[in-house]
Short mmCIF file of all heavy atoms in Angstrom, two decimals:
data_model
loop_
_atom_site.label_atom_id
_atom_site.label_comp_id
_atom_site.label_asym_id
_atom_site.label_seq_id
_atom_site.Cartn_x
_atom_site.Cartn_y
_atom_site.Cartn_z
N ASP H 272 15.47 -7.98 -3.78
CA ASP H 272 14.70 -8.36 -4.97
C ASP H 272 14.57 -7.22 -5.98
O ASP H 272 14.21 -7.46 -7.14
CB ASP H 272 13.29 -8.82 -4.57
CG ASP H 272 13.30 -10.15 -3.83
OD1 ASP H 272 14.29 -10.89 -3.98
OD2 ASP H 272 12.32 -10.44 -3.12
N ASP H 273 14.84 -6.00 -5.56
CA ASP H 273 14.69 -4.87 -6.46
C ASP H 273 15.84 -4.75 -7.46
O ASP H 273 15.78 -3.92 -8.37
CB ASP H 273 14.54 -3.57 -5.67
CG ASP H 273 13.12 -3.38 -5.15
OD1 ASP H 273 12.20 -4.02 -5.68
OD2 ASP H 273 12.93 -2.57 -4.21
N PHE H 274 16.89 -5.55 -7.30
CA PHE H 274 17.96 -5.62 -8.29
C PHE H 274 17.60 -6.72 -9.28
O PHE H 274 17.59 -7.91 -8.92
CB PHE H 274 19.31 -5.88 -7.63
CG PHE H 274 19.77 -4.77 -6.75
CD1 PHE H 274 19.45 -4.74 -5.40
CD2 PHE H 274 20.53 -3.73 -7.27
CE1 PHE H 274 19.88 -3.70 -4.58
CE2 PHE H 274 20.96 -2.68 -6.46
CZ PHE H 274 20.63 -2.66 -5.12
N ILE H 275 17.32 -6.35 -10.52
CA ILE H 275 16.84 -7.30 -11.51
C ILE H 275 18.02 -7.91 -12.27
O ILE H 275 18.75 -7.22 -12.96
CB ILE H 275 15.87 -6.62 -12.50
CG1 ILE H 275 14.81 -5.79 -11.74
CG2 ILE H 275 15.22 -7.66 -13.41
CD1 ILE H 275 13.98 -6.58 -10.76
N ASN H 276 18.19 -9.23 -12.09
CA ASN H 276 19.26 -9.99 -12.78
C ASN H 276 20.65 -9.38 -12.54
O ASN H 276 21.45 -9.23 -13.48
CB ASN H 276 18.97 -10.08 -14.28
CG ASN H 276 17.76 -10.93 -14.58
OD1 ASN H 276 17.46 -11.89 -13.87
ND2 ASN H 276 17.04 -10.58 -15.64
N ILE H 277 20.94 -9.07 -11.30
CA ILE H 277 22.27 -8.57 -10.97
C ILE H 277 23.25 -9.74 -10.90
O ILE H 277 22.86 -10.86 -10.53
CB ILE H 277 22.24 -7.79 -9.63
CG1 ILE H 277 23.57 -7.05 -9.42
CG2 ILE H 277 21.91 -8.69 -8.46
CD1 ILE H 277 23.51 -6.06 -8.26
N ASN H 278 24.50 -9.50 -11.27
CA ASN H 278 25.51 -10.56 -11.31
C ASN H 278 26.22 -10.71 -9.98
O ASN H 278 27.44 -10.94 -9.92
CB ASN H 278 26.51 -10.31 -12.44
CG ASN H 278 27.31 -9.03 -12.25
OD1 ASN H 278 26.90 -8.14 -11.50
ND2 ASN H 278 28.44 -8.92 -12.93
N VAL H 279 25.46 -10.60 -8.90
CA VAL H 279 25.98 -10.76 -7.54
C VAL H 279 25.02 -11.67 -6.78
O VAL H 279 23.79 -11.51 -6.90
CB VAL H 279 26.09 -9.40 -6.82
CG1 VAL H 279 26.64 -9.59 -5.41
CG2 VAL H 279 26.96 -8.44 -7.61
N ALA H 280 25.54 -12.61 -6.02
CA ALA H 280 24.70 -13.48 -5.21
C ALA H 280 24.23 -12.72 -3.97
O ALA H 280 25.05 -12.26 -3.17
CB ALA H 280 25.47 -14.73 -4.81
N LEU H 281 22.94 -12.57 -3.83
CA LEU H 281 22.37 -11.81 -2.72
C LEU H 281 21.56 -12.71 -1.81
O LEU H 281 21.06 -13.76 -2.21
CB LEU H 281 21.47 -10.68 -3.26
CG LEU H 281 22.14 -9.65 -4.17
CD1 LEU H 281 21.12 -8.65 -4.69
CD2 LEU H 281 23.27 -8.92 -3.45
N GLU H 282 21.41 -12.27 -0.56
CA GLU H 282 20.62 -13.02 0.42
C GLU H 282 19.16 -13.10 -0.04
O GLU H 282 18.63 -12.15 -0.62
CB GLU H 282 20.67 -12.31 1.77
CG GLU H 282 22.04 -12.30 2.42
CD GLU H 282 22.34 -13.58 3.18
OE1 GLU H 282 21.41 -14.15 3.78
OE2 GLU H 282 23.50 -14.01 3.14
N PRO H 283 18.48 -14.22 0.22
CA PRO H 283 17.05 -14.32 -0.12
C PRO H 283 16.21 -13.39 0.75
O PRO H 283 16.63 -12.99 1.84
CB PRO H 283 16.72 -15.78 0.15
CG PRO H 283 17.73 -16.22 1.17
CD PRO H 283 18.99 -15.45 0.85
N THR H 284 15.04 -13.05 0.25
CA THR H 284 14.12 -12.18 1.00
C THR H 284 12.84 -12.94 1.33
O THR H 284 12.45 -13.87 0.62
CB THR H 284 13.78 -10.92 0.19
OG1 THR H 284 13.18 -11.30 -1.05
CG2 THR H 284 15.02 -10.10 -0.10
N TYR H 285 12.21 -12.51 2.39
CA TYR H 285 10.98 -13.16 2.85
C TYR H 285 9.95 -12.09 3.20
O TYR H 285 9.49 -11.97 4.34
CB TYR H 285 11.27 -14.05 4.07
CG TYR H 285 12.35 -15.08 3.80
CD1 TYR H 285 13.68 -14.82 4.13
CD2 TYR H 285 12.04 -16.28 3.18
CE1 TYR H 285 14.68 -15.76 3.88
CE2 TYR H 285 13.04 -17.23 2.92
CZ TYR H 285 14.35 -16.95 3.27
OH TYR H 285 15.33 -17.88 3.01
N LEU H 286 9.59 -11.31 2.20
CA LEU H 286 8.67 -10.20 2.41
C LEU H 286 7.30 -10.70 2.83
O LEU H 286 6.70 -11.54 2.15
CB LEU H 286 8.55 -9.39 1.11
CG LEU H 286 7.65 -8.16 1.18
CD1 LEU H 286 8.32 -7.06 1.99
CD2 LEU H 286 7.33 -7.66 -0.23
N PRO H 287 6.75 -10.22 3.96
CA PRO H 287 5.40 -10.61 4.36
C PRO H 287 4.37 -10.19 3.31
O PRO H 287 4.48 -9.11 2.72
CB PRO H 287 5.19 -9.85 5.68
CG PRO H 287 6.56 -9.54 6.18
CD PRO H 287 7.39 -9.33 4.94
N VAL H 288 3.39 -11.04 3.07
CA VAL H 288 2.37 -10.80 2.05
C VAL H 288 1.04 -10.48 2.72
O VAL H 288 0.66 -11.10 3.71
CB VAL H 288 2.23 -12.03 1.13
CG1 VAL H 288 1.14 -11.80 0.09
CG2 VAL H 288 3.56 -12.33 0.45
N SER H 289 0.32 -9.54 2.15
CA SER H 289 -0.97 -9.13 2.70
C SER H 289 -1.97 -10.28 2.67
O SER H 289 -2.05 -11.02 1.68
CB SER H 289 -1.54 -7.97 1.88
OG SER H 289 -2.89 -7.73 2.21
N PRO H 290 -2.76 -10.45 3.74
CA PRO H 290 -3.84 -11.45 3.72
C PRO H 290 -4.84 -11.18 2.61
O PRO H 290 -5.53 -12.09 2.15
CB PRO H 290 -4.49 -11.30 5.10
CG PRO H 290 -3.44 -10.67 5.95
CD PRO H 290 -2.66 -9.77 5.05
N LEU H 291 -4.94 -9.93 2.16
CA LEU H 291 -5.89 -9.59 1.11
C LEU H 291 -5.50 -10.17 -0.24
O LEU H 291 -6.34 -10.26 -1.15
CB LEU H 291 -6.01 -8.07 0.98
CG LEU H 291 -6.52 -7.31 2.21
CD1 LEU H 291 -6.57 -5.82 1.92
CD2 LEU H 291 -7.89 -7.82 2.62
N ALA H 292 -4.24 -10.57 -0.39
CA ALA H 292 -3.80 -11.13 -1.67
C ALA H 292 -4.57 -12.40 -2.00
O ALA H 292 -4.76 -12.72 -3.18
CB ALA H 292 -2.31 -11.41 -1.63
N ALA H 293 -5.05 -13.10 -0.98
CA ALA H 293 -5.76 -14.37 -1.20
C ALA H 293 -7.09 -14.18 -1.91
O ALA H 293 -7.59 -15.09 -2.56
CB ALA H 293 -5.99 -15.08 0.14
N ILE H 294 -7.67 -12.98 -1.79
CA ILE H 294 -8.96 -12.75 -2.45
C ILE H 294 -8.83 -11.72 -3.55
O ILE H 294 -9.83 -11.20 -4.04
CB ILE H 294 -10.02 -12.28 -1.44
CG1 ILE H 294 -9.61 -10.97 -0.77
CG2 ILE H 294 -10.29 -13.34 -0.40
CD1 ILE H 294 -10.73 -10.31 0.01
N SER H 295 -7.61 -11.43 -3.97
CA SER H 295 -7.40 -10.37 -4.96
C SER H 295 -8.01 -10.69 -6.31
O SER H 295 -8.36 -9.79 -7.07
CB SER H 295 -5.91 -10.08 -5.13
OG SER H 295 -5.24 -11.21 -5.66
N GLU H 296 -8.19 -11.99 -6.62
CA GLU H 296 -8.74 -12.35 -7.92
C GLU H 296 -10.16 -11.83 -8.09
O GLU H 296 -10.63 -11.61 -9.20
CB GLU H 296 -8.72 -13.86 -8.11
CG GLU H 296 -7.32 -14.44 -8.28
CD GLU H 296 -7.35 -15.91 -8.57
OE1 GLU H 296 -8.47 -16.47 -8.69
OE2 GLU H 296 -6.27 -16.51 -8.69
N ILE H 297 -10.85 -11.62 -7.00
CA ILE H 297 -12.21 -11.11 -7.08
C ILE H 297 -12.24 -9.73 -7.71
O ILE H 297 -13.19 -9.35 -8.36
CB ILE H 297 -12.84 -11.05 -5.66
CG1 ILE H 297 -13.01 -12.46 -5.12
CG2 ILE H 297 -14.17 -10.31 -5.66
CD1 ILE H 297 -13.51 -12.51 -3.71
N ASN H 298 -11.14 -9.00 -7.54
CA ASN H 298 -11.13 -7.61 -7.99
C ASN H 298 -10.42 -7.41 -9.33
O ASN H 298 -10.14 -6.29 -9.71
CB ASN H 298 -10.46 -6.74 -6.92
CG ASN H 298 -11.24 -6.74 -5.64
OD1 ASN H 298 -12.42 -6.46 -5.63
ND2 ASN H 298 -10.57 -7.09 -4.56
N GLN H 299 -10.11 -8.50 -10.05
CA GLN H 299 -9.52 -8.37 -11.37
C GLN H 299 -10.65 -8.19 -12.37
O GLN H 299 -11.13 -9.13 -12.99
CB GLN H 299 -8.66 -9.59 -11.69
CG GLN H 299 -7.57 -9.85 -10.67
CD GLN H 299 -6.64 -8.67 -10.51
OE1 GLN H 299 -6.14 -8.11 -11.47
NE2 GLN H 299 -6.39 -8.27 -9.26
N ASN H 300 -11.10 -6.96 -12.54
CA ASN H 300 -12.34 -6.69 -13.25
C ASN H 300 -12.15 -6.41 -14.74
O ASN H 300 -11.10 -5.96 -15.16
CB ASN H 300 -13.05 -5.49 -12.61
CG ASN H 300 -13.50 -5.80 -11.21
OD1 ASN H 300 -13.91 -6.91 -10.92
ND2 ASN H 300 -13.42 -4.82 -10.33
N ASP H 301 -13.21 -6.70 -15.49
CA ASP H 301 -13.25 -6.40 -16.91
C ASP H 301 -14.10 -5.16 -17.17
O ASP H 301 -14.61 -4.98 -18.28
CB ASP H 301 -13.85 -7.58 -17.69
CG ASP H 301 -12.97 -8.82 -17.58
OD1 ASP H 301 -11.75 -8.67 -17.55
OD2 ASP H 301 -13.53 -9.93 -17.52
N PHE H 302 -14.28 -4.32 -16.17
CA PHE H 302 -15.06 -3.11 -16.36
C PHE H 302 -14.41 -1.95 -15.63
O PHE H 302 -13.60 -2.14 -14.73
CB PHE H 302 -16.51 -3.30 -15.91
CG PHE H 302 -16.66 -3.68 -14.46
CD1 PHE H 302 -16.75 -2.71 -13.47
CD2 PHE H 302 -16.73 -5.00 -14.07
CE1 PHE H 302 -16.89 -3.04 -12.15
CE2 PHE H 302 -16.88 -5.36 -12.74
CZ PHE H 302 -16.95 -4.37 -11.78
N LYS H 303 -14.75 -0.76 -16.06
CA LYS H 303 -14.23 0.45 -15.44
C LYS H 303 -15.35 1.16 -14.69
O LYS H 303 -16.48 1.22 -15.15
CB LYS H 303 -13.64 1.39 -16.50
CG LYS H 303 -12.43 0.83 -17.22
CD LYS H 303 -11.89 1.81 -18.25
CE LYS H 303 -10.67 1.26 -18.94
NZ LYS H 303 -10.15 2.19 -19.98
N VAL H 304 -15.00 1.70 -13.53
CA VAL H 304 -15.94 2.46 -12.72
C VAL H 304 -15.38 3.87 -12.54
O VAL H 304 -14.26 4.03 -12.07
CB VAL H 304 -16.15 1.80 -11.33
CG1 VAL H 304 -17.11 2.63 -10.48
CG2 VAL H 304 -16.66 0.38 -11.50
N PHE H 305 -16.16 4.89 -12.91
CA PHE H 305 -15.67 6.27 -12.81
C PHE H 305 -16.85 7.23 -12.71
O PHE H 305 -17.97 6.89 -13.14
CB PHE H 305 -14.78 6.61 -14.02
CG PHE H 305 -15.50 6.57 -15.35
CD1 PHE H 305 -16.08 7.71 -15.89
CD2 PHE H 305 -15.61 5.38 -16.05
CE1 PHE H 305 -16.75 7.67 -17.09
CE2 PHE H 305 -16.28 5.33 -17.26
CZ PHE H 305 -16.85 6.47 -17.78
N PRO H 306 -16.68 8.41 -12.14
CA PRO H 306 -15.54 8.76 -11.31
C PRO H 306 -15.60 7.98 -9.99
O PRO H 306 -16.66 7.53 -9.60
CB PRO H 306 -15.73 10.26 -11.06
CG PRO H 306 -17.21 10.46 -11.13
CD PRO H 306 -17.71 9.49 -12.17
N ASN H 307 -14.49 7.85 -9.35
CA ASN H 307 -14.43 7.10 -8.11
C ASN H 307 -13.34 7.70 -7.22
O ASN H 307 -12.16 7.48 -7.49
CB ASN H 307 -14.12 5.63 -8.39
CG ASN H 307 -14.40 4.71 -7.22
OD1 ASN H 307 -14.96 5.14 -6.21
ND2 ASN H 307 -13.99 3.46 -7.33
N PRO H 308 -13.72 8.54 -6.25
CA PRO H 308 -15.02 8.80 -5.66
C PRO H 308 -15.95 9.58 -6.59
O PRO H 308 -15.51 10.27 -7.50
CB PRO H 308 -14.70 9.63 -4.40
CG PRO H 308 -13.24 9.42 -4.16
CD PRO H 308 -12.63 9.21 -5.50
N ALA H 309 -17.25 9.49 -6.28
CA ALA H 309 -18.28 10.22 -7.02
C ALA H 309 -19.21 10.89 -6.04
O ALA H 309 -19.32 10.49 -4.88
CB ALA H 309 -19.05 9.26 -7.92
N SER H 310 -19.91 11.91 -6.51
CA SER H 310 -20.89 12.59 -5.67
C SER H 310 -22.28 12.58 -6.27
O SER H 310 -23.26 12.87 -5.60
CB SER H 310 -20.46 14.05 -5.43
OG SER H 310 -20.33 14.74 -6.66
N ASP H 311 -22.37 12.21 -7.56
CA ASP H 311 -23.65 12.28 -8.26
C ASP H 311 -23.95 10.98 -9.01
O ASP H 311 -24.78 10.19 -8.60
CB ASP H 311 -23.63 13.49 -9.20
CG ASP H 311 -24.99 13.74 -9.86
OD1 ASP H 311 -25.98 13.17 -9.39
OD2 ASP H 311 -25.04 14.50 -10.84
N ILE H 312 -23.24 10.77 -10.11
CA ILE H 312 -23.48 9.61 -10.96
C ILE H 312 -22.19 8.80 -11.08
O ILE H 312 -21.12 9.34 -11.30
CB ILE H 312 -23.93 10.02 -12.38
CG1 ILE H 312 -25.23 10.83 -12.32
CG2 ILE H 312 -24.10 8.79 -13.27
CD1 ILE H 312 -26.43 10.03 -11.84
N ILE H 313 -22.31 7.47 -10.91
CA ILE H 313 -21.21 6.55 -11.16
C ILE H 313 -21.47 5.86 -12.50
O ILE H 313 -22.55 5.32 -12.73
CB ILE H 313 -21.09 5.50 -10.04
CG1 ILE H 313 -20.61 6.15 -8.74
CG2 ILE H 313 -20.13 4.38 -10.45
CD1 ILE H 313 -20.54 5.20 -7.58
N HIS H 314 -20.48 5.88 -13.37
CA HIS H 314 -20.58 5.24 -14.68
C HIS H 314 -19.81 3.92 -14.64
O HIS H 314 -18.70 3.84 -14.11
CB HIS H 314 -19.98 6.13 -15.77
CG HIS H 314 -20.64 7.47 -15.87
ND1 HIS H 314 -21.74 7.71 -16.66
CD2 HIS H 314 -20.36 8.65 -15.25
CE1 HIS H 314 -22.11 8.98 -16.55
NE2 HIS H 314 -21.28 9.57 -15.70
N ILE H 315 -20.41 2.89 -15.21
CA ILE H 315 -19.76 1.58 -15.31
C ILE H 315 -19.72 1.19 -16.77
O ILE H 315 -20.76 1.13 -17.44
CB ILE H 315 -20.52 0.51 -14.49
CG1 ILE H 315 -20.63 0.94 -13.02
CG2 ILE H 315 -19.82 -0.83 -14.61
CD1 ILE H 315 -21.47 0.01 -12.19
N VAL H 316 -18.53 0.93 -17.28
CA VAL H 316 -18.34 0.58 -18.68
C VAL H 316 -17.71 -0.80 -18.76
O VAL H 316 -16.62 -1.02 -18.21
CB VAL H 316 -17.47 1.61 -19.41
CG1 VAL H 316 -17.25 1.19 -20.87
CG2 VAL H 316 -18.10 2.99 -19.35
N SER H 317 -18.36 -1.74 -19.43
CA SER H 317 -17.85 -3.09 -19.58
C SER H 317 -16.88 -3.15 -20.76
O SER H 317 -17.09 -2.51 -21.79
CB SER H 317 -19.00 -4.07 -19.80
OG SER H 317 -18.50 -5.35 -20.12
N GLU H 318 -15.83 -3.94 -20.59
CA GLU H 318 -14.86 -4.14 -21.66
C GLU H 318 -14.91 -5.56 -22.20
O GLU H 318 -14.07 -5.95 -23.00
CB GLU H 318 -13.45 -3.83 -21.14
CG GLU H 318 -13.28 -2.39 -20.68
CD GLU H 318 -11.88 -2.10 -20.17
OE1 GLU H 318 -11.17 -3.06 -19.81
OE2 GLU H 318 -11.50 -0.92 -20.12
#
Side-chain angles (χ1 to χ4, degrees):
D272 290 339
D273 280 341
F274 294 91
I275 312 302
N276 293 328
I277 190 169
N278 63 341
V279 180
L281 300 176
E282 294 277 324
T284 59
Y285 304 95
L286 182 72
V288 178
S289 168
L291 299 179
I294 60 168
S295 64
E296 291 185 2
I297 293 175
N298 297 307
Q299 303 303 311
N300 294 324
D301 296 324
F302 59 88
K303 296 180 179 178
V304 179
F305 63 93
N307 195 8
S310 59
D311 187 14
I312 300 294
I313 291 177
H314 301 271
I315 303 174
V316 178
S317 172
E318 298 180 340

